[in-house]
């Protein structure tokens, strides 16, 4: 049995993760209309991308592997990933800001589970929901709009690794934004800046190749860009850029514990 005075072990963490997911699932399902409407909104956005794709001249991107199946598939993968990113970044910040404003932050900070871990686990359901929504959107794009996937069987494990690393990366950015919110009491402007900046520089709606030289260098150095490239090439071009996948995993492993330390520092500072 897990001690109440020490952080939970491996089984304890699994139980905590399951408890958080079940709690948020029942909460979301009790409000069925927003739950279902979110899925339909994701699918409805396909119509917008489908007709915009008709305006894009494919000839100018013949040498871009991610656009081998057209602009529509390119933007569907990018928009699905940016939806997951927005959830990972915003949910943890919202939870900590709410806890701080309602006076429950102090109680959360003295529990056996570190506050950063509680915050991270609290985002798991939302991340899984956003991922499921993205999968449904991709399936609809394939079934109803003719997007052709090219996934090598041996690449499936690498795709799963890329998704897990992307989860960790988005959650880490969310924790960093949360720490900012704890210290400065507001996260709205920073959330807008981060979401807009990553969407623009990450190549969600267009290849980063079209960006000006210095901006392109910054864009290609961002782990978010690596995540999009890995998933796009794996799903649409049948090739996994192993170098970028390794860089993505290493960056996630480096940033995740760092974000926890930053949140701990921010909590200690607000309690002084």
């Amino acid at each position: 049995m897990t001690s109440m005075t020490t952080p939970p072990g491996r089984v304890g963490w699994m139980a905590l993760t399951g408890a958080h997911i079940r709690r948020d699932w029942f909460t979301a399902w009790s409000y069925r209309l927003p739950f279902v409407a979110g899925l339909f909104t994701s699918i409805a956005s396909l119509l917008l991308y489908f007709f915009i794709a008709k305006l894009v001249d494919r000839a100018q991107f013949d040498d871009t592997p991610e656009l081998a199946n057209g602009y529509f598939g390119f933007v569907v993968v990018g928009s699905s990933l940016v939806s997951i990113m927005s959830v990972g970044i915003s949910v943890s910040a919202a939870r900590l800001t709410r806890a701080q404003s309602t006076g429950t932050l102090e109680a959360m900070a003295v529990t056996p589970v570190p506050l950063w871990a509680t915050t991270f686990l609290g985002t798991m359901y939302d991340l899984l929901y956003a991922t499921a929504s993205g999968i449904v959107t991709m399936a609809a794009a394939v079934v109803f709009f003719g997007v052709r996937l090219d996934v090598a069987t041996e690449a499936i494990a690498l795709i799963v690794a890329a998704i897990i690393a992307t989860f960790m990366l988005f959650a880490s950015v969310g924790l960093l934004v949360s720490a900012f919110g704890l210290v400065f009491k507001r996260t709205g402007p920073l959330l807008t800046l981060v979401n807009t900046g990553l969407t623009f520089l990450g190549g969600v709606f267009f290849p980063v190749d079209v960006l000006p030289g210095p901006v392109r260098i910054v864009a290609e150095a961002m782990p978010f860009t690596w995540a999009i490239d890995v998933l796009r090439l794996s799903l649409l071009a049948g090739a996994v850029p192993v170098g970028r996948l390794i860089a993505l995993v290493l960056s996630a492993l480096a940033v995740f514990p760092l974000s926890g330390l930053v949140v701990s520092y921010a909590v200690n500072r607000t309690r002084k």
Side-chain angles (χ1 to χ4, degrees):
M1 179 178 295
T2 300
S3 171
M4 295 298 292
T5 58
T6 58
R10 195 168 79 176
V11 176
W13 286 118
M14 293 174 62
L16 276 173
T17 302
H20 277 81
I21 293 173
R22 285 193 300 272
R23 178 201 64 188
D24 292 338
W25 159 260
F26 288 126
T27 301
W29 189 241
S30 66
Y31 301 94
R32 291 179 177 81
L33 182 59
F35 179 85
V36 177
L39 290 175
F40 278 104
T41 300
S42 298
I43 296 175
S45 65
L46 290 175
L47 288 170
L48 174 64
Y49 300 142
F50 180 75
F51 290 112
I52 290 177
K54 292 181 177 295
L55 302 175
V56 178
D57 181 12
R58 287 183 56 184
Q60 62 180 317
F61 296 112
D62 282 342
D63 296 331
T64 305
E66 300 96 320
L67 283 160
N69 291 324
Y71 177 75
F72 182 56
F74 176 92
V75 75
V76 167
V77 175
S79 62
S80 297
L81 198 58
V82 82
S83 297
I84 301 172
M85 175 201 74
S86 298
V87 168
I89 292 175
S90 62
V91 170
S92 58
R95 287 181 183 274
L96 280 187
T97 301
R98 184 167 58 249
Q100 188 176 33
S101 63
T102 58
T104 58
L105 181 65
E106 185 72 22
M108 294 172 61
V110 297
T111 61
V113 182
L115 181 60
W116 67 265
T118 302
T119 306
F120 169 69
L121 293 175
T123 67
M124 287 303 297
Y125 168 78
D126 298 279
L127 283 170
L128 291 173
Y129 174 81
T131 302
S133 179
I135 292 173
V136 171
T137 301
M138 283 297 304
V142 171
V143 174
F144 299 112
F145 296 93
V147 170
R148 290 179 290 112
L149 299 182
D150 183 7
V151 182
T153 304
E154 60 273 13
I156 293 177
L158 297 178
I159 293 174
V160 172
I163 293 174
I164 294 174
T166 303
F167 264 36
M168 292 177 63
L169 188 64
F170 291 164
S172 299
V173 176
L175 288 172
L176 292 173
V177 173
S178 301
F180 178 91
L182 288 176
V183 175
F184 297 101
K185 307 298 188 293
R186 294 188 62 185
T187 59
L190 182 60
L191 282 172
T192 300
L193 178 63
V194 171
N195 279 315
T196 303
L198 291 179
T199 300
F200 176 75
L201 294 174
V204 173
F205 297 107
F206 49 81
V208 296
D209 295 345
V210 303
L211 294 172
V215 180
R216 176 181 172 182
I217 292 174
V218 173
E220 290 183 340
M222 291 171 41
F224 179 59
T225 305
W226 306 341
I228 289 185
D229 284 350
V230 169
L231 292 175
R232 274 202 183 116
L233 289 169
S234 302
L235 295 173
L236 301 176
V240 179
V242 178
R244 291 218 155 181
L245 174 59
I246 293 174
L248 173 64
V249 171
L250 291 177
S251 63
L253 292 175
V255 175
F256 188 70
L258 175 63
S259 63
L261 292 174
V262 173
V263 169
S264 299
Y265 169 79
V267 171
N268 291 333
R269 178 171 174 174
T270 58
R271 294 173 66 188
K272 291 180 180 180

